[in-house]
C-alpha cells in the first residue's frame, strides 16, 4: 500500500480530512522550498503537492505563473525537483508528495525514465494538468508500473460520463477544481461545491479533494465539511512572493496560515 | 511513401495526425471543447451555414482572391512561372479573415455573445475584431505587451473596430503568452465565450476546423490553375508560423502526388544562431497549447523564446498537421532568414508593384531559390498570405529610415 492510500486510511479512521498545501518547487529557490516542505508538515499538512515549474502554465493564474517564472529564473528544472524530493524523504518517510505540473517537461525526460526517477526519489503521485484521460494512457501505464498514483482533475463542467471515466482511471485521490477559472480565483461557492462533491462521491471510489478559491481557515473549514481533502495553493504562494527575502518570517507565516486551517478543519469534523 | 494516404481522412476522431495533434488541456476546458467539436461536426456540412459563409466570403471579404501570374518576377528569377495567390487583397489584408468569419458564424449559432482571440502581429486580432463588429459580438483580444509596442497601428485598428485589447505581461510577453492568457479567459468565461484561435494549432478540433476554413485558398487556386493553364501546378510555396495559410493552400492538393509542396519557416538570424522560429527545422516534438507538435524547447522541456522579423511567424510551435506532413515527407520544410525575407519584400515591391507582408516575404524568398531549379513551363504557386502595409515601420527601421 502506498503512502497516499495509507494516509487517507489513517485520516478516515481518525475522522479527519486531508489538508494538502501546494507550493512551486524552486520558488524563489530550491533551498527555501526544502525548508518550507518541513514547515508544511509541522503545521498540519497531510499530503504535499509540489509544483514543477513550467514556462507556460496555462491553467494557472498570475500568482502561480509568477512563482513558475521565479523558479525557472533560479534554474529549477524537473531533475532538480526530483532531487529535492529525495532530500525531503531523508527526513520524512511518511508524508506523501504529489508532483503537479504540465506534460512537456515529463515528455522531454521520457515517460518511463521520469516514472522510475520519480519513484526512486520518493514521489507518490503525479498530477499532470494538461493531460486529460483521452491522452493519458501511456503516461498512466508508466506511472502505475512504478507504483505512482496518477491524480486527475475534475471540473464543474465535467459530465457524469466523464466523472465515471476519470474516476475509473484515478488512483490516490481526485482533485475537484471548485470553480470555472484559473488558480488564485476567489469565488468559492461552498453550497455549489457541496452539491457537486456529493454527486462526484456517489460516482467514484477514490477520495475527493477540493481546490481553487480556498484561502483561509474559514474557507478550508467550509470545504472540509463536504470533501475528503482541502487543497490550498495560491494563498500560500502569494505569501512566498511577499516574504521571499525573509525566510524566518516566511516560514512563520506559512506555518501560522496552515496551522489555522488545520485547526478550523479539525473543529468542523470532530 | 509506401501506401497511398488519403489526406482528406485526417485527423482521426480524436484529432490526431499520426502522433501529433490531440487534446492536451486541463479538465476545465474539456466540456467546452466537446461542445465545439459537436457543434462543428453538425455545421461543417450544414447547407445553411455554408451558404452564409460563402455569402460573406464573396461579398464581405471579396473572394475569390485572384491568382496573379507575376510575369516580370518569373523572368527575373529565370525558371518556373510564378503565380501569386492574392490573399493580401482580402478585406483586412490577409488570409486570417477566412477563418475568423467561419468561427464567428459558428459562435453566433452556439448563442455565444462574446468572442476572444490571441494575436501576435495583430492580423488575426484585427480580423476577429472586424467580424465581431459586423455581428455585434463583444470582442477581447489578448496580445503580448511586447507585440503591443511593436504593432501599434494594428492595436489602434482593433480599438477602432470596438475590441478591447489586453496587453499580456507574463512570460516572454509575445504570442505564446497571449495564447496562454486567452485560454485562461476561456476557462473562466466558458459559458458565454467563444475562443477564436487564429491558426491551425491548439486542441482538437481547432487544427482541423481552422484548416477547413482556410482550404478556400487551395480550392480556389486549384480551380484557377486548371482554368488558366489546363493542368495542376508543379509546386506550392507558403510561409509557416502556426501554418494556417500554408495548410489552406496545400490541403486541397495533398492527394495530387504530382504537386510538390514547400513550407517556409522563419530562420530569423539563421538556424545556427538559435535565434529563429523554425521548430520543424530545428525543434523537436513536445506538447504545448493543447497539441503535440514540433516545438522550440530546451532539453528540459521548457519553451524557449523565438525570434523573427515577422511577428506573425514568431511562435515556438507549429500546427500538428504540418508536423505529420514533415515526418511522412509529403511536404518539405525550409527556412528563410530575416535578411532574405527583407530582400524578397523589396524585390516584389519594385518588380510587381505589390507590397507583401513580411510573413509572405519568407515564401517569396524561398520561391526565388526554387524557381531556377524548375523549367520555364512549370507552374509555381506562392501564397501571398498578406499585404505589407502593417510592416512598413519595421522595414523602414531596419533600413535606417525614419518615417
Amino acid at each position: 500500500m502506498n503512502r497516499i492510500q495509507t494516509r487517507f486510511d489513517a485520516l478516515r479512521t481518525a475522522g479527519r480530512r486531508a489538508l494538502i498545501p501546494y507550493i512551486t518547487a524552486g520558488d524563489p529557490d530550491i533551498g527555501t522550498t526544502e525548508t518550507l516542505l518541513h514547515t508544511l508538515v509541522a503545521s498540519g499538512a497531510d499530503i504535499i503537492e509540489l509544483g514543477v515549474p513550467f514556462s507556460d502554465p496555462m491553467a494557472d493564474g498570475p500568482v502561480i505563473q509568477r512563482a513558475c517564472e521565479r523558479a525557472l529564473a533560479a534554474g529549477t528544472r524537473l531533475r532538480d525537483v526530483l532531487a529535492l524530493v529525495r532530500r525531503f524523504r531523508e527526513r520524512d518517510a511518511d508524508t506523501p508528495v504529489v508532483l503537479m505540473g504540465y506534460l512537456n517537461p515529463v515528455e522531454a525526460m521520457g515517460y518511463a525514465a521520469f516514472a522510475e526517477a520519480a519513484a526512486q526519489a520518493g514521489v507518490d503521485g503525479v498530477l499532470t494538468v494538461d493531460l486529460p484521460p483521452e491522452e493519458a494512457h501511456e503516461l498512466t501505464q508508466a506511472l502505475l508500473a512504478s507504483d505512482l498514483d496518477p491524480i486527475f482533475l475534475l471540473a464543474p463542467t465535467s459530465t457524469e460520463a466523464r466523472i465515471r471515466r476519470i474516476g475509473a482511471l484515478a488512483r490516490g485521490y481526485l482533485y475537484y477544481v471548485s470553480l470555472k477559472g484559473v488558480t488564485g480565483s476567489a469565488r468559492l461557492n461552498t453550497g455549489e461545491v457541496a452539491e457537486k462533491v456529493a454527486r462526484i462521491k456517489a460516482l467514484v471510489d477514490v477520495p475527493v479533494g477540493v481546490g481553487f478559491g480556498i484561502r483561509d481557515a474559514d474557507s478550508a473549514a467550509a470545504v472540509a465539511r463536504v470533501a475528503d481533502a482541502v487543497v490550498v495553493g495560491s494563498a500560500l504562494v502569494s505569501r512566498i512572493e511577499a516574504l521571499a527575502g525573509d525566510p524566518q518570517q516566511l516560514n512563520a507565516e506559512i506555518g501560522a496560515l496552515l496551522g489555522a486551517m488545520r485547526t478550523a478543519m479539525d473543529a468542523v469534523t470532530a | 511513401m509506401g501506401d497511398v494516404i488519403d489526406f482528406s481522412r485526417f485527423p482521426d476522431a480524436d484529432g490526431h495526425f499520426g502522433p501529433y495533434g490531440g487534446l492536451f488541456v486541463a479538465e476545465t476546458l474539456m466540456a467546452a471543447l466537446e461542445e465545439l467539436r459537436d457543434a462543428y461536426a453538425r455545421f461543417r456540412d450544414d447547407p445553411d451555414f455554408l451558404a452564409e459563409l460563402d455569402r460573406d466570403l464573396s461579398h464581405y471579404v471579396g473572394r475569390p482572391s485572384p491568382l496573379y501570374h507575376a510575369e516580370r518576377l518569373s523572368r527575373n528569377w529565370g525558371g518556373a512561372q510564378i503565380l501569386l495567390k492574392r490573399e493580401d487583397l482580402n478585406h483586412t489584408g490577409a488570409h486570417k479573415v477566412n477563418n475568423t468569419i467561419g468561427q464567428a458564424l459558428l459562435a453566433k449559432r452556439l448563442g455565444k455573445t462574446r468572442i476572444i482571440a490571441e494575436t501576435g502581429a495583430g492580423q488575426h486580432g484585427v480580423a476577429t475584431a472586424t467580424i465581431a463588429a459586423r455581428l455585434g459580438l463583444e470582442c477581447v483580444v489578448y496580445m503580448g505587451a511586447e507585440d503591443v509596442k511593436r504593432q501599434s497601428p494594428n492595436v489602434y485598428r482593433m480599438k477602432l473596430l470596438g475590441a478591447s485589447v489586453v496587453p499580456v505581461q507574463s512570460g516572454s510577453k509575445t504570442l505564446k503568452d497571449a495564447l496562454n492568457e486567452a485560454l485562461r479567459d476561456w476557462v473562466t468565461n466558458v459559458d458565454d465565450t467563444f475562443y477564436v484561435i487564429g491558426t491551425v494549432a491548439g486542441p482538437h478540433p481547432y487544427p482541423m476546423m481552422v484548416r477547413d476554413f482556410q482550404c478556400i485558398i487551395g480550392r480556389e487556386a486549384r480551380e484557377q490553375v486548371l482554368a488558366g493553364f489546363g493542368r495542376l501546378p508543379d509546386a506550392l510555396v507558403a510561409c509557416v508560423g502556426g501554418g494556417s495559410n500554408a495548410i489552406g493552400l496545400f490541403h486541397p492538393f495533398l492527394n495530387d502526388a504530382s504537386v510538390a509542396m514547400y513550407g517556409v519557416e522563419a530562420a530569423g538570424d539563421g538556424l545556427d544562431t538559435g535565434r529563429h522560429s523554425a521548430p520543424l527545422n530545428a525543434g523537436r516534438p513536445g506538447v504545448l497549447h493543447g497539441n503535440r507538435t514540433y516545438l522550440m524547447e530546451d532539453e528540459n522541456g521548457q519553451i524557449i523564446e523565438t525570434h523573427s522579423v515577422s511577428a506573425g511567424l514568431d511562435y515556438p510551435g507549429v500546427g500538428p498537421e504540418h508536423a505529420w506532413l514533415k515526418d511522412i515527407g509529403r511536404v518539405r520544410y525550409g527556412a528563410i532568414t530575416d535578411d532574405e525575407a527583407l530582400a524578397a519584400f523589396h524585390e516584389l515591391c519594385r518588380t510587381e508593384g505589390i507590397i507583401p507582408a513580411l510573413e509572405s516575404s519568407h515564401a517569396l524568398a524561398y520561391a526565388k531559390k526554387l524557381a531556377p531549379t524548375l523549367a520555364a513551363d512549370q507552374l509555381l504557386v506562392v501564397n501571398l498570405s498578406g499585404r505589407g502595409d502593417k510592416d512598413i515601420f519595421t522595414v523602414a527601421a531596419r533600413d535606417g529610415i525614419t518615417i
Side-chain angles (χ1 to χ4, degrees):
Chain A
M1 200 158 59
N2 70 21
R3 291 188 196 92
I4 296 176
Q5 200 183 335
T6 305
R7 181 55 53 104
F8 272 107
D9 286 351
L11 287 163
R12 196 175 300 114
T13 306
R16 299 168 79 203
R17 309 292 191 226
L19 176 57
I20 308 182
Y22 165 97
I23 59 175
T24 304
D27 170 27
D29 56 66
I30 209 89
T32 303
T33 307
E34 186 171 354
T35 308
L36 277 172
L37 290 178
H38 296 290
T39 298
L40 295 172
V41 174
S43 313
D46 295 301
I47 296 170
I48 290 171
E49 284 185 357
L50 187 58
V52 179
F54 182 51
S55 53
D56 293 78
M58 292 156 289
D60 285 296
V63 170
I64 291 175
Q65 286 173 49
R66 289 196 298 269
C68 282
E69 287 176 14
R70 287 190 297 271
L72 290 173
T76 312
R77 304 293 184 259
L78 179 52
R79 60 173 180 272
D80 305 307
V81 181
L82 296 176
L84 168 66
V85 175
R86 184 188 298 278
R87 289 196 300 278
F88 173 75
R89 273 283 163 260
E90 287 167 8
R91 287 175 53 195
D92 187 322
D94 303 321
T95 307
V97 173
V98 172
L99 296 187
M100 182 169 182
Y102 293 79
L103 183 60
N104 204 48
V106 174
E107 286 242 334
M109 186 176 280
Y111 291 170
F114 165 73
E116 282 165 29
Q120 275 173 16
V123 171
D124 302 286
V126 177
L127 198 174
T128 313
V129 175
D130 55 347
L131 189 66
E134 281 79 354
E135 302 283 356
H137 179 75
E138 207 183 322
L139 179 58
T140 301
Q141 291 309 308
L143 295 177
L144 292 174
S146 290
D147 198 25
L148 294 167
D149 286 340
I151 315 284
F152 286 93
L153 296 172
L154 291 173
T157 47
S158 301
T159 58
E160 188 169 318
R162 288 193 68 79
I163 295 169
R164 285 184 193 279
R165 178 179 181 180
I166 295 168
L169 281 176
R171 301 282 187 279
Y173 60 98
L174 280 161
Y175 183 146
Y176 175 63
V177 173
S178 65
L179 47 80
K180 291 172 188 163
V182 293
T183 53
S185 309
R187 293 181 302 163
L188 187 69
N189 178 334
T190 45
E192 236 171 67
V193 170
E195 198 178 306
K196 189 74 188 207
V197 170
R199 240 186 75 206
I200 293 168
K201 286 181 67 72
L203 298 172
V204 304
D205 292 329
V206 290
V208 177
V210 172
F212 284 39
I214 296 159
R215 49 187 55 247
D216 52 25
D218 286 349
S219 45
V223 169
R225 288 178 200 274
V226 299
D228 301 305
V230 175
V231 186
V232 55
S234 294
L236 300 173
V237 175
S238 58
R239 278 173 177 71
I240 295 173
E241 179 169 49
L243 296 168
D246 187 349
Q248 206 175 343
Q249 183 69 13
L250 172 61
N251 280 279
E253 286 204 18
I254 293 280
L257 175 61
L258 209 65
M261 289 180 166
R262 173 86 269 165
T263 305
M265 286 166 58
D266 290 346
V268 298
T269 55
Chain B
M1 274 187 292
D3 297 337
V4 174
I5 296 173
D6 178 1
F7 290 93
S8 67
R9 296 177 56 219
F10 288 82
D12 69 14
D14 299 316
H16 297 108
F17 301 90
Y20 302 107
L23 194 51
F24 295 88
V25 297
E27 181 63 19
T28 42
L29 276 177
M30 288 300 297
L33 286 164
E34 284 180 354
E35 180 191 27
L36 178 60
R37 188 193 61 200
D38 294 347
Y40 183 60
R42 199 159 69 244
F43 288 114
R44 69 184 297 188
D45 300 313
D46 178 76
D48 290 340
F49 177 76
L50 294 175
E52 187 174 3
L53 181 58
D54 276 350
R55 263 199 313 278
D56 278 358
L57 291 175
S58 301
H59 301 292
Y60 188 63
V61 176
R63 302 204 71 91
S65 68
L67 185 75
Y68 167 68
H69 184 185
E71 294 183 64
R72 284 195 75 203
L73 195 68
S74 306
R75 267 200 306 279
N76 285 1
W77 287 355
Q81 298 307 304
I82 307 299
L83 308 175
L84 301 178
K85 182 58 175 163
R86 298 291 307 277
E87 292 299 299
D88 60 314
L89 295 176
N90 292 339
H91 178 42
T92 73
H95 70 291
K96 292 289 187 188
V97 72
N98 302 329
N99 166 51
T100 59
I101 289 188
Q103 290 197 47
L105 291 178
L106 203 55
K108 208 177 72 172
R109 276 173 167 68
L110 287 173
K112 307 288 183 182
T113 56
R114 178 175 180 271
I115 61 179
I116 59 172
E118 84 293 337
T119 198
Q123 293 305 99
H124 173 59
V126 168
T128 305
T130 297
I131 189 64
R134 180 161 167 277
L135 295 178
L137 298 167
E138 184 190 346
C139 180
V140 177
V141 179
Y142 290 93
M143 190 168 182
E146 282 299 318
D147 290 333
V148 168
K149 270 191 275 177
R150 290 194 286 192
Q151 306 285 339
S152 57
N154 270 343
V155 174
Y156 187 56
R157 279 189 191 101
M158 288 184 265
K159 288 180 178 169
L160 286 174
L161 293 161
S164 310
V165 179
V166 181
V168 176
Q169 303 288 352
S170 58
S172 58
K173 304 182 174 62
T174 58
L175 176 57
K176 77 175 177 71
D177 310 286
L179 219 153
N180 292 337
E181 205 58 33
L183 285 167
R184 291 176 187 124
D185 178 314
W186 199 28
V187 169
T188 309
N189 302 294
V190 68
D191 293 333
D192 68 347
T193 297
F194 189 103
Y195 180 17
V196 180
I197 290 186
T199 192
V200 284
H204 181 62
Y206 283 102
M208 173 181 78
M209 180 174 68
V210 176
R211 175 197 73 194
D212 291 351
F213 289 136
Q214 291 295 0
C215 275
I216 186 76
I217 302 171
R219 284 200 304 272
E220 283 178 7
R222 205 169 189 284
E223 280 175 25
Q224 288 164 324
V225 178
L226 286 171
F229 298 86
R231 61 190 185 84
L232 289 171
D234 298 284
L236 312 175
V237 178
C239 65
V240 176
S244 69
N245 90 81
I247 210 77
L249 175 64
F250 294 168
H251 199 265
F253 293 95
L254 283 173
N255 283 340
D256 300 310
S258 69
V259 181
M261 301 181 195
Y262 302 87
V264 185
E265 295 194 303
D269 291 344
L271 291 182
D272 53 351
T273 66
R275 284 175 47 79
H276 57 79
S277 303
L280 290 171
N281 281 276
R284 61 175 190 167
V287 171
L288 178 71
H289 292 152
N291 62 139
R292 181 176 282 120
T293 187
Y294 280 83
L295 297 174
M296 300 278 292
E297 57 173 300
D298 67 16
E299 70 278 14
N300 297 296
Q302 305 294 339
I303 307 306
I304 57 179
E305 285 191 31
T306 53
H307 169 79
S308 170
V309 68
S310 149
L313 302 181
D314 206 350
Y315 177 67
V318 62
E321 192 163 11
H322 287 293
W324 178 60
L325 292 171
K326 171 197 155 72
D327 279 10
I328 62 173
R330 179 62 186 95
V331 179
R332 292 177 62 179
Y333 293 88
I336 284 294
T337 64
D338 288 354
D339 288 344
E340 292 171 319
L342 279 152
F345 172 94
H346 286 300
E347 188 170 5
L348 192 72
C349 292
R350 299 291 183 93
T351 310
E352 294 287 351
I354 298 170
I355 301 177
L358 285 176
E359 291 79 9
S360 320
S361 300
H362 286 72
L364 288 165
Y366 193 86
K368 182 177 182 171
K369 295 182 181 181
L370 190 61
T373 69
L374 301 173
D377 63 348
Q378 291 192 291
L379 303 173
L380 175 53
V381 176
V382 181
N383 203 6
L384 201 64
S385 56
R387 69 177 182 225
D389 306 50
K390 69 183 174 60
D391 294 316
I392 58 173
F393 300 100
T394 305
V395 174
R398 282 185 71 106
D399 291 344
I401 295 165
T402 310
I403 51 177

